[in-house]
Amino acid sequence: MVSKGYYNTMEHYDITTSMPLLSGLETAFQDSLTSNTCIPLLKQELKSKIQIRRLRQGQGELKVTFEPKPKHELTDEEKQKQARRREVNRMAALKFRRKKKDKITELEEKANKLTAENKRLEEELQQWRNIHETRQCSTPVTPEGGYVWVLIQTDR
């Protein structure tokens, strides 16, 4: 009885028919070394499994060739459509850049205003500190610029 497991598939066909699988493994190994990834090896493993399964089932070896798509000349309508699309894209890009520039300008203005406000508040705080130090807390000063009169009750 012959086992149908993956590891026993080598006894079902002639090794000479699987030479392309082995040469593909060499290429995949070299590709994985140059690209510093294991993806070429994984792809080759999948190809090998598919080929082994096909050979086990009595189907022939699968040959896959990749041919580049043939280039064809664009029609006038396709050229016009492409030109319109490029123009629309160009206008959208200009609009985006303009909005981005406006937003940056707006944020810079806001940052300048906030910096000026911060500086003004720091100066005001320093003035309050100076007033507080000169009065030595004898009379509390409110931030609005007025005085708080403290009533002191004495025992009579």
Side-chain angles (χ1 to χ4, degrees):
M1 176 177 233
V2 177
S3 172
K4 292 186 178 183
Y6 172 73
Y7 295 106
N8 295 329
T9 57
M10 294 301 283
E11 59 193 53
H12 292 289
Y13 59 90
D14 184 16
I15 190 70
T16 58
T17 61
S18 66
M19 280 302 173
L21 296 178
L22 296 176
S23 67
L25 185 60
E26 272 184 40
T27 320
F29 181 71
Q30 290 299 325
D31 290 346
S32 68
L33 287 176
T34 57
S35 66
N36 209 16
T37 179
C38 65
I39 292 176
L41 286 171
L42 292 173
K43 286 182 178 182
Q44 185 59 38
E45 180 184 10
L46 288 173
K47 287 178 189 176
S48 299
K49 284 183 178 183
I50 292 168
Q51 292 291 15
I52 289 170
R53 186 179 307 135
R54 287 181 59 83
L55 292 172
R56 189 174 3 133
Q57 294 172 352
Q59 300 171 343
E61 190 170 334
L62 186 62
K63 303 277 185 193
V64 179
T65 57
F66 294 100
E67 296 177 10
K69 240 181 169 177
K71 300 272 183 179
H72 67 279
E73 187 67 29
L74 295 177
T75 64
D76 288 339
E77 183 180 327
E78 289 173 327
K79 288 179 183 177
Q80 289 175 350
K81 186 176 179 180
Q82 188 180 44
R84 278 194 307 269
R85 186 69 213 139
R86 285 183 179 164
E87 184 61 29
V88 168
N89 190 36
R90 188 177 298 117
M91 297 307 285
L94 285 173
K95 181 180 176 183
F96 173 79
R97 288 186 204 111
R98 191 176 311 119
K99 284 176 72 175
K100 184 177 176 182
K101 186 177 180 182
D102 291 346
K103 184 69 174 175
I104 289 172
T105 305
E106 177 185 327
L107 289 173
E108 285 174 345
E109 288 174 2
K110 187 174 181 180
N112 290 338
K113 286 180 184 177
L114 290 173
T115 302
E117 177 71 10
N118 192 28
K119 184 177 179 182
R120 185 190 64 76
L121 289 172
E122 285 176 355
E123 289 172 357
E124 185 177 337
L125 178 63
Q126 188 58 43
Q127 288 175 354
W128 284 113
R129 285 183 178 152
N130 292 341
I131 291 172
H132 182 71
E133 287 174 7
T134 56
R135 302 221 173 154
Q136 297 179 11
C137 293
S138 59
T139 309
V141 179
T142 63
E144 293 82 24
Y147 294 100
V148 174
W149 299 101
V150 180
L151 297 174
I152 302 174
Q153 289 184 349
T154 56
D155 291 335
R156 291 185 195 200

